[in-house]
Amino acid sequence: MESVRVLCCAAVLALGAANAAAQILIGQSADMSGPVAASVKETIAGSQLVIDHVNAQGGIHGEKIEVIRLDDGLDPKRSAENSRILIEEKKVLALLLNRGTPNALAVIPLLDKSGTPLIAPSTGAMSLHKPVQKHVFNVRSTYQREAERAVAHFYTVGMQRIAVVQADDSFGKDVMEGAMKGFDKAGQKPVALALADRSKPDYSAIVPKIAAANAQAVLWIGSGTAVSEGIKALRATGSAAQVITLSNNAASGFIKDLGNASGGVIVTQVLPSERAMAHPLIKEASDLAKTRGDIELSPALLEGFVATKVLVEALRRTGPKPTRARLLTTLNELRYDAGGGLEINYSPQDHTGIDYVDLSIISGGRFKR
C-alpha cells in the first residue's frame, strides 16, 4: 500500500510540475477510452503537432502552451464535471476541441458563468452556431450542411431508395434537420428511419428495417464503433447498399474498425484531403508530421491541427499574459486564413467556422476523393 501512495504522490507532483512550467494552460475534455477514442487520439495528435512546434520556438510571447486533457468517455455528465475542474480548479485560459454535441452543450453554462472561451468544439452541431453562443468559437462546418450534401449526392448518382439510421440524441436530431433539407429539395422522403441508442444500438432491430425497405443507400448518423459495428451487421446480411456517414467518423481508426466492411462507405469531410500536398495547409501539416516520423495525416488529425492554429493565432494577437476576457475580445474580432483560403471570420454576431464540405470514399484502407 505504501508503494502505491508513493507512486500516486509522484504522479501528482509530476502533474503539478508540468502545470507550473506551462504559462498558458488550455483544457480539453474528450473521449479517450470510449466509442470515438480512436478519432479523438488522431485529433489530439494534430493539435499537439502545432503546440510542440510553437513551444519549440519559445512559445507565445515567451510563454509555452500546456494542454490538460481529461477523459470523459463521451459522457456529457463527465464532460461537464471535467470542464468544471479545468475551469475552476486548473484555471485554464480556454477549452479546446471538446468532443461531442451533447457534451459541448452540457458545458455552455460553465463557459457563460466563468467567461471561458471554447475554441473549435469537435462537433458540427447547429445549436453551437445559431443562436450564437457567445463563448463558443466554431472552426469546422455544420453537420446539417454535411447531411444535406450527403443526401443530395445519393440522388445525383441516381439512388432513390434512401434509408436513415439516426442516433437518438441531440446530435442525431440536429443532423436529421440537415438531411431532411436534402430530402425536401429532391421531393422525397427516407424509405426507412431507424433510431439508434447513442452508445449501444440494437442492430437486430435496425438492420432488418433497412433490409425490409430494400434500401439502395443509407445515411448512418452516429459515432465511432456505433456506426462501424452497424455497417458490419448490415454487410453480414448481404446488403450492398452504399453508406454515407459524417465527418465525426473521418479518422483512420474508423477505417480500421470497419475492416473488410469498408467497401461502399463514404465519409463527408470538412477540410481538404490529407493527400492534397499542393494545398498550403496540408503541406504545412505534412512537414511538421515528418519531423515526428511516426504520424500519418488523417481528416481527424487535420481538424485538431487547424483548430490549434486558430487558438495559437488568437493567443498571439491577444498579447503577453493573456486573460480569458482579453482572449475573448480577440476571438470576437479574429480574421484569419488558416491556410490556402480556409478563412475564419468571427464577430460578436457570428462564430461560424470554415465553410467547407466534401465527400471521400473509403478505398484500399484510405479516404479517396
Side-chain angles (χ1 to χ4, degrees), residues 132-186:
V132 174
Q133 301 291 344
K134 63 181 180 179
H135 294 104
V136 177
F137 294 85
N138 301 285
V139 171
R140 46 151 298 145
S141 186
T142 67
Y143 289 139
Q144 287 194 18
R145 187 154 184 267
E146 290 183 61
E148 182 179 352
R149 173 74 187 278
V151 172
H153 167 77
F154 283 143
Y155 288 117
T156 298
V157 297
M159 294 184 179
Q160 298 296 315
R161 302 186 60 78
I162 303 169
V164 178
V165 180
Q166 177 198 326
D168 192 13
D169 61 7
S170 57
F171 160 66
K173 293 173 185 175
D174 179 41
V175 176
M176 196 61 193
E177 285 191 37
M180 289 309 301
K181 291 177 184 177
F183 283 112
D184 290 343
K185 285 182 179 179

Side-chain angles (χ1 to χ4, degrees), residues 156-233:
T156 298
V157 297
M159 294 184 179
Q160 298 296 315
R161 302 186 60 78
I162 303 169
V164 178
V165 180
Q166 177 198 326
D168 192 13
D169 61 7
S170 57
F171 160 66
K173 293 173 185 175
D174 179 41
V175 176
M176 196 61 193
E177 285 191 37
M180 289 309 301
K181 291 177 184 177
F183 283 112
D184 290 343
K185 285 182 179 179
Q188 302 288 336
K189 292 183 179 180
V191 295
L193 173 60
L195 294 179
D197 182 82
R198 175 181 173 86
S199 56
K200 295 181 179 180
D202 182 2
Y203 303 119
S204 66
I206 294 168
V207 171
K209 194 169 186 178
I210 296 171
N214 194 26
Q216 297 171 293
V218 182
L219 171 61
W220 205 302
I221 303 166
S223 299
T225 54
V227 177
S228 60
E229 292 301 314
I231 294 173
K232 289 177 188 177

Side-chain angles (χ1 to χ4, degrees), residues 26-50:
I26 305 298
Q28 179 184 11
S29 176
D31 176 19
M32 300 171 202
S33 62
V36 297
S39 174
V40 167
K41 288 174 183 176
E42 291 176 36
T43 304
I44 288 173
S47 177
Q48 201 62 42
L49 274 179
V50 178

Side-chain angles (χ1 to χ4, degrees), residues 255-271:
I255 297 177
K256 291 176 183 177
D257 286 342
L258 278 173
N260 294 332
S262 64
V265 177
I266 294 175
V267 183
T268 56
Q269 306 285 0
V270 292
L271 287 170

